[in-house]
Amino acid sequence: GREGNPPSPPRRKMVRQDKNKYNAKKYRLIVRFTNRKVICQIAYATIRGDMVVCQATSSELTKYGIPAGHKNYAAAYATGLLVARRVLKQFGLDEKFAGKEELDGEDYHVEDEETEQRPFKCILDVGLQTTTVGHRMWGALKGAVDGGLHIPHSNRKFPGYKPAEEKGQDPEYDAEAHKEKLFGMHVKEYMETMAEEDPTKYEAHFSKYIEADIDADKMEDMYTEAFDKIKEEPEYEPTEKKGITHTRGEGGQITSSDGTEHVRNAKITLEQRREKVARKIAAAQAKMMEDDE
């Protein structure tokens, strides 16, 4: 870890590099979910800590035409696809490894294709998340794989996978079921049932989609267009600074140029804090003396 504490066993296993590889970088695809978004990073480990080479978050999906739902399965897939295309472009490999043409949930392994150069390889880093079947992290993994990264994986945990019922039988993988998740069909169904059963709740719940004029029928097209746009222009565009200035007044009052006001305590030095505490103690003692008298 970066704080100097020993790494956990899964991290140790992921980060360890063989000595005969002479310190070649070992890349990881880091997938994390917050309460509002998905974060995908490509990083390698050094003694000083992890070095992040490339990052994509699902907050960026707004510019690709996905206004909300930034932490569902389809958003995870889009973010995985985005980080893959972005890192390949960064290393100048985006034309050699164009990734999967048709995004249909079918198995795809870039390493199986005949190419002059070996594909960019990284391993999935899931952190403390439980690797259950159908978890959103597999959406991000599938996105990165379809985007042309070589990530060792199998389809055993993907939605649409059915293990063999009896010994000797082959397991089934229903790519169509996986594709439905990738294109947000589960959200579409939810929208349809809620719109019928409780229109008021529907308006509040899916307000961002309604604002962007997207209803259940437009969901699939929205994701299809977003995926195409990600492939066309995966570069990161920094958001423009709003240029708000803050002026501090008396008693920690802060006035901002956009008309808002906040109260923030000013930082004081250790000496000042000690004097303040000593004054408080002296005042309390004086008060106790008065009360005793």
Side-chain angles (χ1 to χ4, degrees):
R2 190 167 280 190
E3 293 86 24
N5 45 13
S8 61
R11 181 183 160 83
R12 194 178 294 130
K13 203 169 179 181
M14 272 190 295
V15 165
R16 195 170 59 209
Q17 181 66 302
D18 301 333
K19 288 283 179 284
N20 62 7
K21 290 185 182 158
Y22 296 103
N23 216 3
K25 294 181 176 69
K26 190 173 184 183
Y27 292 102
R28 312 199 310 283
L29 168 69
I30 300 169
V31 178
R32 297 290 182 272
F33 290 89
T34 73
N35 284 344
R36 286 166 180 242
K37 60 183 176 184
V38 188
I39 302 168
C40 292
Q41 297 176 329
I42 307 282
Y44 63 91
T46 67
I47 301 273
R48 285 181 302 153
D50 283 356
M51 299 294 157
V52 177
V53 181
C54 182
Q55 157 166 312
T57 68
S58 60
S59 321
E60 297 173 50
L61 297 178
T62 311
K63 83 166 190 193
Y64 294 106
I66 303 173
H70 286 168
K71 61 179 201 280
N72 62 27
Y73 198 92
Y77 179 75
T79 313
L81 184 67
L82 179 57
V83 80
R85 297 314 301 156
R86 186 172 285 171
V87 77
L88 290 174
K89 188 145 195 173
Q90 202 169 307
F91 286 122
L93 300 168
D94 54 327
E95 285 174 15
K96 279 184 185 163
F97 303 105
K100 196 169 190 317
E101 272 187 34
E102 196 186 340
L103 308 177
D104 52 8
E106 291 286 352
D107 272 340
Y108 176 74
H109 293 270
V110 70
E111 64 276 16
D112 294 345
E113 297 187 353
E114 291 293 320
T115 46
E116 292 169 27
Q117 200 174 349
R118 277 186 305 182
F120 185 94
K121 180 182 177 181
C122 49
I123 51 177
L124 182 66
D125 175 337
V126 298
L128 303 173
Q129 303 168 90
T130 317
T131 51
T132 46
V133 175
H135 195 296
R136 290 169 302 172
M137 67 174 101
W138 309 126
L141 165 72
K142 184 69 177 134
V145 168
D146 286 357
L149 296 187
H150 169 198
I151 306 174
H153 71 288
S154 72
N155 58 17
R156 281 217 321 270
K157 298 275 182 168
F158 287 164
Y161 178 84
K162 288 193 190 79
E165 287 171 14
E166 293 169 27
K167 253 190 176 174
Q169 277 188 339
D170 288 337
E172 281 176 37
Y173 172 56
D174 180 1
E176 191 57 39
H178 195 180
K179 182 191 172 183
E180 287 189 354
K181 291 279 284 216
L182 301 181
F183 284 85
M185 293 297 99
H186 53 305
V187 183
K188 176 188 170 178
E189 283 172 25
Y190 187 45
M191 280 173 107
E192 285 170 345
T193 50
M194 195 189 282
E196 273 178 35
E197 289 167 16
D198 194 342
T200 334
K201 188 180 175 187
Y202 168 77
E203 278 168 25
H205 201 78
F206 291 103
S207 57
K208 287 237 180 94
Y209 288 109
I210 295 165
E211 263 174 48
D213 193 31
I214 291 165
D215 58 12
D217 297 331
K218 292 182 188 167
M219 284 294 271
E220 193 168 350
D221 295 341
M222 174 184 84
Y223 283 112
T224 312
E225 283 164 25
F227 298 153
D228 290 342
K229 204 171 169 195
I230 284 171
K231 286 180 174 181
E232 280 165 32
E233 38 191 82
E235 297 92 340
Y236 174 66
E237 286 175 20
T239 48
E240 286 179 21
K241 295 269 187 292
K242 289 176 184 167
I244 298 170
T245 53
H246 308 282
T247 46
R248 184 181 283 278
E250 289 294 312
Q253 194 72 24
I254 292 178
T255 315
S256 305
S257 59
D258 62 346
T260 54
E261 289 188 358
H262 314 277
V263 176
R264 296 284 181 273
N265 294 333
K267 280 191 174 178
I268 57 173
T269 62
L270 186 62
E271 267 65 45
Q272 286 172 321
R273 182 168 282 116
R274 282 187 174 150
E275 280 169 24
K276 195 174 163 186
V277 171
R279 281 201 304 274
K280 277 186 181 174
I281 291 171
Q285 281 175 337
K287 191 168 184 286
M288 280 168 69
M289 298 289 273
E290 276 176 29
D291 291 349
D292 289 349
E293 284 168 14

